[in-house]
Amino acid sequence: MERVTMDLHLLDAVPPELFTTSVENLGDVLPGPTLLRLPGRTDPPLFISTLLHGDEPTGFQAMQKLLAHYLSTDEGLPRSVWLFLGNVHAAKGNLRHLDQQPDFNRIWNGGDQPEHRLADRVVEMARENGLFACIDIHNTSGKNPPYSAINKLDPACVFLGKLFSDKLVYFTRPDTVLSKAFAGICPAVTVECGQAGDPKGLERVHGFVDQCLNLTAIVPTGYRTADESVYHSIGRIEFPDGCTVGFDHARGNEDFVFVEDLDSLNFQELPENTRIGWRHDASKRLQVIDETGKEVGDEFFVYKGNEIRLKRAVVPSMLTTSPYAALDDCLGYLMQRYVLE
Protein backbone atom coordinates (compact mmCIF):
# COMPACT_ATOMS: atom_id res chain seq x y z
CA MET A 1 0.00 0.00 0.00
CA GLU A 2 1.29 3.46 -0.89
CA ARG A 3 2.18 5.52 2.16
CA VAL A 4 -0.35 8.26 2.88
CA THR A 5 0.80 11.85 3.35
CA MET A 6 0.94 13.30 6.85
CA ASP A 7 0.40 17.01 6.23
CA LEU A 8 -1.65 18.80 8.88
CA HIS A 9 -4.72 20.44 7.36
CA LEU A 10 -6.07 23.59 9.03
CA LEU A 11 -9.70 24.72 8.76
CA ASP A 12 -11.43 27.70 10.38
CA ALA A 13 -14.97 26.51 9.64
CA VAL A 14 -16.76 23.16 9.56
CA PRO A 15 -17.28 21.77 6.05
CA PRO A 16 -21.06 21.24 5.71
CA GLU A 17 -20.54 17.58 4.78
CA LEU A 18 -18.85 16.94 8.12
CA PHE A 19 -22.19 17.15 9.94
CA THR A 20 -23.65 14.14 8.15
CA THR A 21 -20.78 11.97 6.93
CA SER A 22 -20.06 8.58 8.46
CA VAL A 23 -16.67 7.94 10.06
CA GLU A 24 -15.83 5.56 7.23
CA ASN A 25 -16.46 8.29 4.64
CA LEU A 26 -14.65 11.04 6.52
CA GLY A 27 -11.73 10.72 4.13
CA ASP A 28 -14.00 11.93 1.33
CA VAL A 29 -14.52 15.20 3.26
CA LEU A 30 -11.04 15.71 4.76
CA PRO A 31 -7.74 14.96 2.99
CA GLY A 32 -6.02 13.73 6.16
CA PRO A 33 -5.33 14.70 9.78
CA THR A 34 -7.16 17.98 10.34
CA LEU A 35 -7.28 20.70 12.99
CA LEU A 36 -10.49 22.73 12.97
CA ARG A 37 -10.10 26.07 14.79
CA LEU A 38 -13.63 27.22 15.52
CA PRO A 39 -14.36 30.57 17.21
CA GLY A 40 -16.69 30.80 20.20
CA ARG A 41 -17.90 33.39 22.68
CA THR A 42 -15.08 32.69 25.15
CA ASP A 43 -11.35 32.04 24.85
CA PRO A 44 -8.94 30.34 25.24
CA PRO A 45 -10.16 27.35 23.22
CA LEU A 46 -11.03 23.88 24.41
CA PHE A 47 -8.85 21.36 22.56
CA ILE A 48 -10.63 18.12 21.64
CA SER A 49 -8.91 15.18 19.98
CA THR A 50 -10.60 12.15 18.49
CA LEU A 51 -9.92 9.41 15.95
CA LEU A 52 -6.32 8.97 17.02
CA HIS A 53 -7.40 5.38 16.43
CA GLY A 54 -9.48 4.94 13.30
CA ASP A 55 -11.69 2.26 14.85
CA GLU A 56 -12.82 4.47 17.77
CA PRO A 57 -15.64 6.63 16.36
CA THR A 58 -17.56 7.76 19.46
CA GLY A 59 -15.70 11.05 19.90
CA PHE A 60 -16.27 12.07 16.29
CA GLN A 61 -19.95 11.17 16.49
CA ALA A 62 -20.37 13.18 19.71
CA MET A 63 -18.68 16.22 18.16
CA GLN A 64 -20.87 15.96 15.06
CA LYS A 65 -23.91 16.22 17.31
CA LEU A 66 -22.52 19.03 19.48
CA LEU A 67 -21.30 21.17 16.59
CA ALA A 68 -24.56 20.73 14.69
CA HIS A 69 -26.44 21.96 17.75
CA TYR A 70 -24.33 25.00 18.59
CA LEU A 71 -23.50 26.14 15.08
CA SER A 72 -27.18 26.13 14.12
CA THR A 73 -27.86 28.89 16.68
CA ASP A 74 -27.14 32.61 16.43
CA GLU A 75 -25.02 32.48 19.59
CA GLY A 76 -22.67 29.79 18.29
CA LEU A 77 -20.20 27.91 20.45
CA PRO A 78 -19.99 28.99 24.11
CA ARG A 79 -16.21 28.56 23.96
CA SER A 80 -13.79 28.39 21.06
CA VAL A 81 -12.92 24.82 20.02
CA TRP A 82 -9.87 23.31 18.45
CA LEU A 83 -10.97 19.92 17.13
CA PHE A 84 -8.21 17.56 16.01
CA LEU A 85 -9.39 14.69 13.81
CA GLY A 86 -6.48 12.27 13.73
CA ASN A 87 -6.22 9.11 11.70
CA VAL A 88 -8.76 9.84 8.98
CA HIS A 89 -7.07 7.35 6.66
CA ALA A 90 -7.40 4.43 9.11
CA ALA A 91 -11.02 5.36 9.87
CA LYS A 92 -11.95 4.49 6.28
CA GLY A 93 -11.17 0.83 6.97
CA ASN A 94 -12.26 0.84 10.64
CA LEU A 95 -8.63 0.17 11.61
CA ARG A 96 -6.65 1.20 14.66
CA HIS A 97 -3.93 2.40 12.28
CA LEU A 98 -2.66 1.45 8.82
CA ASP A 99 0.02 -1.20 8.52
CA GLN A 100 2.74 1.25 7.56
CA GLN A 101 1.86 3.76 10.29
CA PRO A 102 2.78 4.12 13.95
CA ASP A 103 -0.05 4.27 16.46
CA PHE A 104 -1.36 7.87 16.47
CA ASN A 105 -1.48 7.82 20.28
CA ARG A 106 2.21 6.89 20.50
CA ILE A 107 3.67 9.81 18.53
CA TRP A 108 3.54 12.68 21.05
CA ASN A 109 7.01 12.56 22.56
CA GLY A 110 9.33 13.06 19.61
CA GLY A 111 10.48 10.81 16.80
CA ASP A 112 11.68 10.93 13.22
CA GLN A 113 8.65 9.74 11.26
CA PRO A 114 6.17 12.04 9.46
CA GLU A 115 3.54 11.29 12.11
CA HIS A 116 5.89 12.53 14.85
CA ARG A 117 6.48 15.77 12.98
CA LEU A 118 2.72 16.17 12.61
CA ALA A 119 2.26 15.75 16.36
CA ASP A 120 5.10 18.19 17.09
CA ARG A 121 3.38 20.84 14.97
CA VAL A 122 0.03 20.40 16.73
CA VAL A 123 1.67 20.69 20.15
CA GLU A 124 3.67 23.76 19.08
CA MET A 125 0.53 25.52 17.84
CA ALA A 126 -1.29 24.70 21.07
CA ARG A 127 1.58 25.99 23.21
CA GLU A 128 1.80 29.24 21.25
CA ASN A 129 -1.95 29.86 21.42
CA GLY A 130 -2.75 28.70 24.97
CA LEU A 131 -5.67 26.39 25.76
CA PHE A 132 -8.44 26.13 28.35
CA ALA A 133 -8.20 22.35 28.59
CA CYS A 134 -7.53 19.26 26.48
CA ILE A 135 -9.86 16.26 26.06
CA ASP A 136 -8.67 13.19 24.16
CA ILE A 137 -11.61 10.86 23.37
CA HIS A 138 -11.21 7.10 22.89
CA ASN A 139 -13.10 3.81 22.78
CA THR A 140 -11.83 0.55 24.25
CA SER A 141 -11.50 -2.73 22.35
CA GLY A 142 -12.65 -4.73 25.39
CA LYS A 143 -15.49 -4.19 27.85
CA ASN A 144 -14.68 -1.37 30.27
CA PRO A 145 -16.85 1.00 32.24
CA PRO A 146 -16.47 4.62 31.10
CA TYR A 147 -13.41 6.06 32.82
CA SER A 148 -10.93 8.89 32.54
CA ALA A 149 -7.13 8.97 32.75
CA ILE A 150 -4.71 11.74 33.67
CA ASN A 151 -0.94 12.21 33.73
CA LYS A 152 -0.71 14.87 36.45
CA LEU A 153 -2.24 14.83 39.92
CA ASP A 154 -2.97 18.54 40.07
CA PRO A 155 -6.48 19.74 41.05
CA ALA A 156 -7.46 20.82 37.52
CA CYS A 157 -6.66 17.44 35.96
CA VAL A 158 -8.30 15.52 38.81
CA PHE A 159 -11.46 17.63 38.66
CA LEU A 160 -11.66 17.31 34.87
CA GLY A 161 -11.27 13.53 35.07
CA LYS A 162 -13.86 13.16 37.84
CA LEU A 163 -16.29 15.30 35.86
CA PHE A 164 -16.41 12.50 33.28
CA SER A 165 -16.34 9.47 35.60
CA ASP A 166 -15.78 8.51 39.21
CA LYS A 167 -13.29 5.96 37.85
CA LEU A 168 -10.08 7.95 37.38
CA VAL A 169 -6.71 6.44 36.45
CA TYR A 170 -3.36 8.15 36.99
CA PHE A 171 -0.58 6.94 34.69
CA THR A 172 2.82 8.08 33.46
CA ARG A 173 3.55 5.35 30.89
CA PRO A 174 3.30 5.13 27.99
CA ASP A 175 4.76 8.64 27.87
CA THR A 176 4.05 9.06 24.16
CA VAL A 177 0.31 9.75 24.46
CA LEU A 178 -1.38 13.01 23.50
CA SER A 179 -2.70 13.80 26.98
CA LYS A 180 0.79 13.70 28.48
CA ALA A 181 2.14 16.09 25.84
CA PHE A 182 -0.73 18.52 26.46
CA ALA A 183 -0.55 18.27 30.26
CA GLY A 184 2.40 20.63 30.08
CA ILE A 185 0.19 23.23 28.36
CA CYS A 186 -3.19 22.98 30.08
CA PRO A 187 -5.32 20.60 32.17
CA ALA A 188 -5.55 17.42 30.07
CA VAL A 189 -7.59 14.24 30.30
CA THR A 190 -8.14 11.09 28.26
CA VAL A 191 -11.71 9.78 28.36
CA GLU A 192 -12.50 6.15 27.54
CA CYS A 193 -16.12 5.80 26.42
CA GLY A 194 -16.48 2.03 26.37
CA GLN A 195 -16.74 0.05 23.17
CA ALA A 196 -17.56 1.58 19.82
CA GLY A 197 -21.28 1.59 19.07
CA ASP A 198 -22.38 1.84 22.70
CA PRO A 199 -25.05 4.60 22.80
CA LYS A 200 -24.44 5.15 26.52
CA GLY A 201 -20.80 5.98 25.84
CA LEU A 202 -21.82 8.41 23.12
CA GLU A 203 -24.34 10.09 25.43
CA ARG A 204 -21.82 10.35 28.28
CA VAL A 205 -19.03 11.95 26.26
CA HIS A 206 -21.47 14.29 24.52
CA GLY A 207 -22.68 15.54 27.91
CA PHE A 208 -19.14 15.80 29.28
CA VAL A 209 -17.80 17.90 26.40
CA ASP A 210 -20.92 20.08 26.57
CA GLN A 211 -20.25 20.70 30.28
CA CYS A 212 -16.63 21.60 29.55
CA LEU A 213 -17.66 24.06 26.84
CA ASN A 214 -19.78 25.90 29.41
CA LEU A 215 -17.29 25.96 32.28
CA THR A 216 -15.92 29.35 33.27
CA ALA A 217 -13.07 27.77 35.26
CA ILE A 218 -11.71 24.23 35.49
CA VAL A 219 -11.39 24.09 39.28
CA PRO A 220 -14.41 25.28 41.29
CA THR A 221 -13.89 27.25 44.48
CA GLY A 222 -13.24 25.01 47.46
CA TYR A 223 -12.45 21.87 45.44
CA ARG A 224 -10.16 19.46 47.33
CA THR A 225 -8.29 16.62 45.65
CA ALA A 226 -7.97 15.03 49.10
CA ASP A 227 -11.67 14.19 48.86
CA GLU A 228 -11.01 12.04 45.79
CA SER A 229 -9.41 8.65 45.13
CA VAL A 230 -7.84 7.35 41.96
CA TYR A 231 -6.41 4.20 40.48
CA HIS A 232 -2.67 4.22 39.82
CA SER A 233 -1.52 2.32 36.74
CA ILE A 234 1.60 0.36 37.77
CA GLY A 235 2.14 -2.02 34.86
CA ARG A 236 1.40 -2.63 31.19
CA ILE A 237 1.07 -6.28 30.05
CA GLU A 238 3.01 -7.07 26.88
CA PHE A 239 4.15 -10.18 25.01
CA PRO A 240 7.52 -11.44 23.81
CA ASP A 241 8.11 -11.10 20.08
CA GLY A 242 6.63 -13.75 17.83
CA CYS A 243 3.86 -14.90 20.19
CA THR A 244 0.41 -16.09 19.28
CA VAL A 245 -2.56 -15.16 21.48
CA GLY A 246 -6.07 -16.61 21.84
CA PHE A 247 -9.10 -16.34 24.12
CA ASP A 248 -10.79 -19.75 24.11
CA HIS A 249 -8.97 -22.44 26.06
CA ALA A 250 -11.32 -25.20 24.90
CA ARG A 251 -10.21 -24.74 21.29
CA GLY A 252 -7.08 -22.59 21.37
CA ASN A 253 -3.51 -23.86 21.25
CA GLU A 254 -1.78 -20.49 20.89
CA ASP A 255 1.30 -19.65 22.97
CA PHE A 256 -0.93 -17.74 25.39
CA VAL A 257 -4.65 -18.44 25.77
CA PHE A 258 -6.75 -16.35 28.15
CA VAL A 259 -10.16 -16.86 29.71
CA GLU A 260 -12.83 -16.13 27.13
CA ASP A 261 -14.40 -13.27 29.10
CA LEU A 262 -11.10 -11.71 30.19
CA ASP A 263 -12.38 -8.17 29.64
CA SER A 264 -15.16 -8.72 32.20
CA LEU A 265 -12.40 -8.48 34.84
CA ASN A 266 -11.69 -4.82 34.08
CA PHE A 267 -11.94 -2.58 37.15
CA GLN A 268 -12.55 -5.60 39.38
CA GLU A 269 -10.53 -6.15 42.57
CA LEU A 270 -8.78 -9.43 41.72
CA PRO A 271 -7.23 -11.41 44.57
CA GLU A 272 -3.91 -13.21 44.51
CA ASN A 273 -4.01 -16.57 42.67
CA THR A 274 -6.77 -15.54 40.22
CA ARG A 275 -6.40 -17.59 37.04
CA ILE A 276 -6.43 -15.46 33.90
CA GLY A 277 -5.29 -18.00 31.30
CA TRP A 278 -2.86 -20.66 30.18
CA ARG A 279 0.44 -20.84 28.31
CA HIS A 280 1.28 -23.58 25.85
CA ASP A 281 4.89 -22.53 25.33
CA ALA A 282 6.69 -22.81 28.65
CA SER A 283 9.68 -20.87 27.30
CA LYS A 284 7.63 -17.66 27.04
CA ARG A 285 6.45 -15.43 29.88
CA LEU A 286 4.13 -12.47 30.04
CA GLN A 287 5.97 -9.17 30.33
CA VAL A 288 4.89 -6.30 32.57
CA ILE A 289 6.50 -2.91 31.99
CA ASP A 290 6.39 -0.69 35.08
CA GLU A 291 6.45 3.12 35.26
CA THR A 292 10.24 3.25 35.05
CA GLY A 293 10.29 1.10 31.91
CA LYS A 294 11.56 -1.95 33.79
CA GLU A 295 10.23 -5.43 32.98
CA VAL A 296 8.67 -6.86 36.18
CA GLY A 297 6.43 -9.67 34.97
CA ASP A 298 7.58 -12.09 37.67
CA GLU A 299 6.23 -9.70 40.31
CA PHE A 300 2.70 -10.07 38.95
CA PHE A 301 2.31 -13.53 37.37
CA VAL A 302 3.08 -17.06 38.46
CA TYR A 303 2.85 -20.21 36.32
CA LYS A 304 1.31 -23.33 37.90
CA GLY A 305 1.54 -26.12 35.36
CA ASN A 306 0.28 -24.39 32.25
CA GLU A 307 -1.98 -22.01 34.19
CA ILE A 308 -1.27 -18.28 34.42
CA ARG A 309 -2.26 -16.90 37.82
CA LEU A 310 -1.88 -13.59 39.61
CA LYS A 311 0.96 -13.42 42.09
CA ARG A 312 -0.57 -10.42 43.87
CA ALA A 313 -3.88 -8.62 44.13
CA VAL A 314 -4.46 -6.04 41.38
CA VAL A 315 -7.17 -4.12 39.56
CA PRO A 316 -6.90 -4.53 35.77
CA SER A 317 -8.07 -2.10 33.12
CA MET A 318 -8.18 -2.14 29.33
CA LEU A 319 -7.95 -5.94 29.20
CA THR A 320 -8.91 -6.90 25.67
CA THR A 321 -10.18 -10.05 23.98
CA SER A 322 -8.90 -8.94 20.58
CA PRO A 323 -5.70 -10.79 19.55
CA TYR A 324 -4.91 -7.93 17.16
CA ALA A 325 -5.18 -5.25 19.86
CA ALA A 326 -3.26 -7.37 22.37
CA LEU A 327 -0.30 -7.90 20.04
CA ASP A 328 -0.38 -4.48 18.38
CA ASP A 329 -0.52 -2.58 21.69
CA CYS A 330 -0.88 -4.56 24.91
CA LEU A 331 -3.12 -7.03 26.73
CA GLY A 332 -4.09 -4.40 29.30
CA TYR A 333 -2.93 -2.57 32.41
CA LEU A 334 -2.56 -3.42 36.10
CA MET A 335 -3.53 -0.89 38.75
CA GLN A 336 -3.76 -0.32 42.48
CA ARG A 337 -5.76 2.13 44.59
CA TYR A 338 -4.09 5.48 45.18
CA VAL A 339 -5.18 7.93 47.89
CA LEU A 340 -4.62 11.61 47.12
CA GLU A 341 -3.29 13.92 49.80
Side-chain angles (χ1 to χ4, degrees):
M1 182 185 294
E2 183 180 353
R3 205 181 204 285
V4 296
T5 60
M6 279 297 115
D7 297 328
L8 176 64
H9 302 276
L10 300 175
L11 294 175
D12 294 323
V14 181
E17 302 88 349
L18 198 72
F19 293 115
T20 56
T21 189
S22 66
V23 174
E24 293 79 9
N25 293 327
L26 186 57
D28 297 332
V29 179
L30 303 175
T34 300
L35 180 61
L36 289 90
R37 299 176 296 185
L38 309 175
R41 300 194 302 273
T42 307
D43 282 311
L46 176 65
F47 186 96
I48 301 162
S49 168
T50 189
L51 287 178
L52 291 190
H53 298 137
D55 58 352
E56 298 178 8
T58 295
F60 173 70
Q61 293 162 347
M63 291 309 300
Q64 274 185 311
K65 184 178 177 182
L66 266 176
L67 293 176
H69 166 69
Y70 279 116
L71 297 182
S72 66
T73 67
D74 293 335
E75 293 184 340
L77 287 162
R79 178 174 292 277
S80 296
V81 167
W82 281 21
L83 175 61
F84 179 63
L85 300 173
N87 205 333
V88 171
H89 301 299
K92 184 174 183 179
N94 191 34
L95 300 170
R96 183 179 177 89
H97 60 82
L98 301 181
D99 288 341
Q100 73 273 26
Q101 291 179 322
D103 184 323
F104 264 47
N105 204 27
R106 301 292 184 268
I107 60 175
W108 301 89
N109 191 20
D112 56 6
Q113 293 181 268
E115 290 82 1
H116 297 108
R117 292 190 286 274
L118 169 78
D120 289 344
R121 186 179 178 202
V122 174
V123 172
E124 181 183 4
M125 292 174 63
R127 185 175 289 113
E128 290 175 350
N129 187 86
L131 298 172
F132 180 65
C134 167
I135 302 169
D136 185 22
I137 307 173
H138 287 266
N139 292 112
T140 56
S141 62
K143 291 179 289 189
N144 285 269
Y147 74 93
S148 50
I150 58 175
N151 309 108
K152 291 175 69 175
L153 289 173
D154 64 29
C157 291
V158 173
F159 174 79
L160 199 61
K162 288 286 187 173
L163 195 62
F164 178 73
S165 172
D166 63 343
K167 293 179 173 60
L168 177 60
V169 177
Y170 166 63
F171 75 101
T172 59
R173 292 184 70 90
D175 61 359
T176 51
V177 298
L178 181 145
S179 61
K180 186 157 177 45
F182 276 75
I185 302 170
C186 63
V189 64
T190 299
V191 295
E192 300 284 356
C193 308
Q195 293 177 294
D198 182 354
K200 292 182 180 179
L202 177 59
E203 180 181 355
R204 180 183 286 256
V205 76
H206 174 276
F208 170 66
V209 175
D210 197 15
Q211 278 185 287
C212 292
L213 284 172
N214 287 281
L215 288 175
T216 56
I218 292 295
V219 184
T221 303
Y223 179 72
R224 287 165 34 90
T225 57
D227 295 332
E228 307 285 9
S229 65
V230 303
Y231 294 98
H232 182 199
S233 179
I234 55 176
R236 169 184 163 99
I237 310 170
E238 299 182 356
F239 297 95
D241 291 339
C243 283
T244 54
V245 175
F247 293 89
D248 185 351
H249 184 241
R251 292 179 291 178
N253 58 359
E254 293 86 357
D255 296 330
F256 294 97
V257 180
F258 299 94
V259 294
E260 191 172 3
D261 60 346
L262 183 72
D263 56 354
S264 69
L265 303 178
N266 285 321
F267 284 88
Q268 303 296 316
E269 303 271 357
L270 301 184
E272 176 187 343
N273 204 40
T274 299
R275 184 181 65 191
I276 65 164
W278 302 261
R279 66 170 180 174
H280 293 147
D281 185 339
S283 69
K284 296 179 178 178
R285 307 174 77 84
L286 291 176
Q287 299 172 346
V288 177
I289 310 302
D290 73 7
E291 288 191 302
T292 69
K294 182 181 177 183
E295 200 289 299
V296 292
D298 287 345
E299 295 180 14
F300 289 91
F301 297 111
V302 64
Y303 303 90
K304 298 183 177 181
N306 70 340
E307 294 184 340
I308 307 170
R309 292 182 177 269
L310 289 177
K311 195 172 184 178
R312 55 183 283 190
V314 293
V315 180
S317 68
M318 293 285 282
L319 291 174
T320 183
T321 55
S322 162
Y324 168 75
L327 293 172
D328 183 66
D329 187 38
C330 67
L331 181 67
Y333 294 84
L334 300 173
M335 309 184 297
Q336 61 187 13
R337 294 279 188 174
Y338 188 93
V339 178
L340 297 174
E341 297 180 356

